[in-house]
Amino acid sequence: MADAFLRIDNLVKSFAGNTVVKGVNLAFEKGEFVSLLGPSGCGKTTILRMIAGFERPTSGQILVEGQDISPLPPNRRKIGMVFQAYALFPNMNVEDNVGFGLKIAGVARDERRARVEEMLKLIGLPGYGKRFPFEMSGGQQQRVALARALAPKPRMLLLDEPLSALDAKIRVSLREEIRAIQRELGITTVFVTHDQEEALSISDRIVVLSAGNVEQVGAPFEIYNKPATRFVATFVGQINTLTGRVVDGAARTVDLDGQVVHVPALPTGAAAGSEVALTLRPEAVRVAGAAEGDVTLDGTVAEVAFLGSVIRLKVRLGKNNIDLDTFNDPSTPPPALGNTIRVSLNSSDVFVLAD
């Protein structure tokens, strides 16, 4: 993507000899909403801070619209950033907080005031200009932080886990608002999170990181349904890992607790009798009657977890345990612990991952 709006070329960052970002290459399109997803310590926030200019790369380049911004200080990059901590000035009211960057840039008072009013309407807080941060909820403060980042009309927006300090319901509503505002403005946005649901629900694309390396880049549908590595499969969403034995490598058949499963692919050179790890998502396993061509397995209910709209069952098979999700039906209670049930799955939903 030579004409990408934001391009990261062979980016490396080391601290005291410890390399935390290891030759990362990424390209983002103008107006795209991209999430950097991974566990703590994977390098996602370090990448964001290098884009913002708060950290200098050990090596590599960060280019925006073809310009290498790596040598530029943060205030010359035209980038807005929202932090995990709201970082509002406690001695300033909302109006002054939102207009702070404009004031520093020398924008005239009347123009500044009009822009602040525009931003407060955008974030759904008109009339809140005279309030102070301590008079507002956490969600409202984070909206103000977002307005402050957007007020100077940056060419890119960076969000560093901005929702992690909020309770669950506010997180959901605010992430939807952030996505709606991003779409309205058409601003290129990089969003750092460790929350899979957040990344899957609001991103155009997701970059999955592990130990400073990019594991996979793709749309949410692709990341979830076609994980490229074992790490992506196990980190993004729930996954079942079952042990089977190869029956015929050329025919791609595997014995799974006495049933022959035809899998889409096997590792090159997989020999008959060798063990392989089969994976599939809980929602790919069904308790209801099997469709034509499905594999059926008998097992014992080992755990029942009521999750509201979904009930998750753990079923003990011959040598394997399998988790499955079924929708809650108020007229039908879930099976009891110890019950014998038959589960079914389609071979096309089973995949073997390389390490």
Side-chain angles (χ1 to χ4, degrees), residues 240 280-286 323-325 344-346 349-350:
N240 287 297
L280 74 162
R281 298 291 186 187
E283 64 269 23
V285 189
R286 297 173 295 280
D323 289 334
L324 66 95
D325 289 343
S344 63
L345 55 99
N346 193 293
D349 294 324
V350 179

Side-chain angles (χ1 to χ4, degrees), residues 197-265:
E197 184 180 306
E198 276 181 4
L200 290 168
S201 65
I202 62 176
S203 307
D204 292 316
R205 286 192 301 151
I206 298 172
V207 178
V208 184
L209 293 152
S210 174
N213 295 300
V214 174
E215 292 276 335
Q216 187 174 356
V217 182
F221 183 88
E222 180 185 355
I223 294 289
Y224 186 84
N225 291 304
K226 297 180 180 179
T229 67
R230 186 178 300 277
F231 175 84
V232 176
T234 55
F235 183 76
V236 181
Q238 297 290 327
I239 197 79
N240 287 297
T241 303
L242 312 174
T243 301
R245 288 194 177 275
V246 176
V247 176
D248 185 333
R252 304 192 305 278
T253 52
V254 176
D255 180 281
L256 177 62
D257 287 317
Q259 293 285 331
V260 175
V261 180
H262 185 278
V263 297

Side-chain angles (χ1 to χ4, degrees), residues 55-75:
E55 299 286 353
R56 294 291 298 272
T58 302
S59 62
Q61 288 185 314
I62 301 168
L63 298 100
V64 177
E65 297 180 300
Q67 176 195 11
D68 183 8
I69 64 170
S70 306
L72 299 179
N75 63 327

Side-chain angles (χ1 to χ4, degrees), residues 65-117:
E65 297 180 300
Q67 176 195 11
D68 183 8
I69 64 170
S70 306
L72 299 179
N75 63 327
R76 291 184 55 202
R77 297 192 181 198
K78 293 188 69 176
I79 293 174
M81 186 160 181
V82 179
F83 301 89
Q84 179 177 341
Y86 316 128
L88 299 177
F89 300 113
N91 60 323
M92 293 184 185
N93 62 22
V94 167
E95 185 178 280
D96 290 339
N97 264 287
V98 174
F100 181 77
L102 300 172
K103 186 177 181 180
I104 295 297
V107 176
R109 179 178 296 179
D110 289 347
E111 184 182 345
R112 191 165 71 236
R113 187 172 296 161
R115 180 64 175 166
V116 169
E117 288 181 7

Side-chain angles (χ1 to χ4, degrees), residues 93-237:
N93 62 22
V94 167
E95 185 178 280
D96 290 339
N97 264 287
V98 174
F100 181 77
L102 300 172
K103 186 177 181 180
I104 295 297
V107 176
R109 179 178 296 179
D110 289 347
E111 184 182 345
R112 191 165 71 236
R113 187 172 296 161
R115 180 64 175 166
V116 169
E117 288 181 7
E118 181 186 348
M119 288 295 98
L120 292 182
K121 286 179 183 177
L122 182 69
I123 62 169
L125 294 176
Y128 279 66
K130 300 303 180 185
R131 295 197 186 186
F132 283 84
F134 70 87
E135 299 176 300
M136 309 178 79
S137 69
Q140 289 171 335
Q141 290 185 56
Q142 196 58 291
R143 285 183 179 90
V144 173
L146 177 62
R148 183 178 61 184
L150 292 171
K153 299 182 180 179
R155 55 182 172 177
M156 183 163 44
L157 178 64
L158 309 180
L159 302 163
D160 187 11
E161 303 211 43
L163 309 177
S164 59
L166 305 174
D167 66 51
K169 282 192 174 181
I170 293 176
R171 286 181 71 151
V172 172
S173 63
L174 190 50
R175 80 187 183 204
E176 290 171 354
E177 289 177 33
I178 288 172
R179 183 58 162 136
I181 289 170
Q182 185 270 338
R183 283 195 176 115
E184 181 178 340
L185 299 178
I187 187 171
T188 307
T189 300
V190 184
F191 181 86
V192 161
T193 183
H194 63 271
D195 188 306
Q196 313 151 31
E197 184 180 306
E198 276 181 4
L200 290 168
S201 65
I202 62 176
S203 307
D204 292 316
R205 286 192 301 151
I206 298 172
V207 178
V208 184
L209 293 152
S210 174
N213 295 300
V214 174
E215 292 276 335
Q216 187 174 356
V217 182
F221 183 88
E222 180 185 355
I223 294 289
Y224 186 84
N225 291 304
K226 297 180 180 179
T229 67
R230 186 178 300 277
F231 175 84
V232 176
T234 55
F235 183 76
V236 181

Side-chain angles (χ1 to χ4, degrees), residues 1-7 27-30 63-66:
M1 208 183 294
D3 57 347
F5 177 80
L6 168 65
R7 200 171 83 237
F28 304 154
E29 295 178 5
K30 188 173 179 61
L63 298 100
V64 177
E65 297 180 300

